[in-house]
Amino acid sequence: MARRPDPHPCRRRLFKSAKPPSRATIGTALSVIGALFIGYVGVGYLLAPQPMAPDFGLPTWPHGEGAGFLAVKGVRDVVSGLVIVSVALAGNRRVLGWVMLAMALTPVGDMFIVLFSDGAPSTAFGVHGATALAVTVAGGLLLSGSRPQSSIGASRRSSRTGA
């Protein structure tokens, strides 16, 4: 019996040779997606703070003259996103991993603030705790999937001495 020609030889070749993304690539993607999301949340707190405030999980939030504190959260979130994007654009995934682990402290702090202020535990754990976990996973993937880079000074010394 004669073998029929494959109607889609390119498709088979594409999927056969495709490698799964590396841990560092997945960590970078999670970091950038998270940075864009937190930047979006920050812009929301700057442009329309009162509608955004209930989603944070606290039982009450500042109104009137105290509403300026919501803008503080907006600035914090926008800057957090910009830091992550800046480090990602620099291209050092190891540094990005350490930055992500440090950034994970922000949602951990938010989680405890909500819990200690008699806020909704479901929001504390479901929003802030889950965010801290996702940021930590992204940092861990970046650190486990990238090699430490040698210091610039060491490479310059070795090139001068011929070592």
Side-chain angles (χ1 to χ4, degrees), residues 37-76:
F37 179 73
I38 197 61
Y40 171 78
V41 169
V43 169
Y45 270 95
L46 290 172
L47 298 179
Q50 291 301 327
M52 295 288 292
D55 295 336
F56 191 79
L58 294 174
T60 62
W61 53 90
H63 294 286
E65 293 178 8
F69 281 103
L70 297 175
V72 171
K73 179 179 174 8
V75 169
R76 177 191 79 172

Side-chain angles (χ1 to χ4, degrees), residues 64-85:
E65 293 178 8
F69 281 103
L70 297 175
V72 171
K73 179 179 174 8
V75 169
R76 177 191 79 172
D77 289 350
V78 168
V79 171
S80 295
L82 289 174
V83 167
I84 294 167
V85 168

Side-chain angles (χ1 to χ4, degrees), residues 3-13:
R3 192 171 170 188
R4 283 192 283 163
D6 188 353
H8 304 288
C10 293
R11 185 185 317 162
R12 186 175 54 175
R13 219 174 320 149

Side-chain angles (χ1 to χ4, degrees), residues 120-158:
S122 59
T123 304
F125 295 115
V127 174
H128 304 295
T131 300
L133 179 63
V135 173
T136 301
V137 166
L141 286 169
L142 285 158
L143 290 173
S144 69
S146 61
R147 292 185 303 257
Q149 295 181 348
S150 62
S151 68
I152 294 172
S155 63
R156 285 183 183 161
R157 279 192 300 272
S158 64

Side-chain angles (χ1 to χ4, degrees), residues 95-149:
V95 172
L96 181 58
W98 286 113
V99 166
M100 293 304 288
L101 290 181
M103 289 285 188
L105 295 175
T106 300
V108 168
D110 291 347
M111 179 181 73
F112 284 120
I113 288 168
V114 170
L115 289 172
F116 294 151
S117 300
D118 294 324
S122 59
T123 304
F125 295 115
V127 174
H128 304 295
T131 300
L133 179 63
V135 173
T136 301
V137 166
L141 286 169
L142 285 158
L143 290 173
S144 69
S146 61
R147 292 185 303 257
Q149 295 181 348

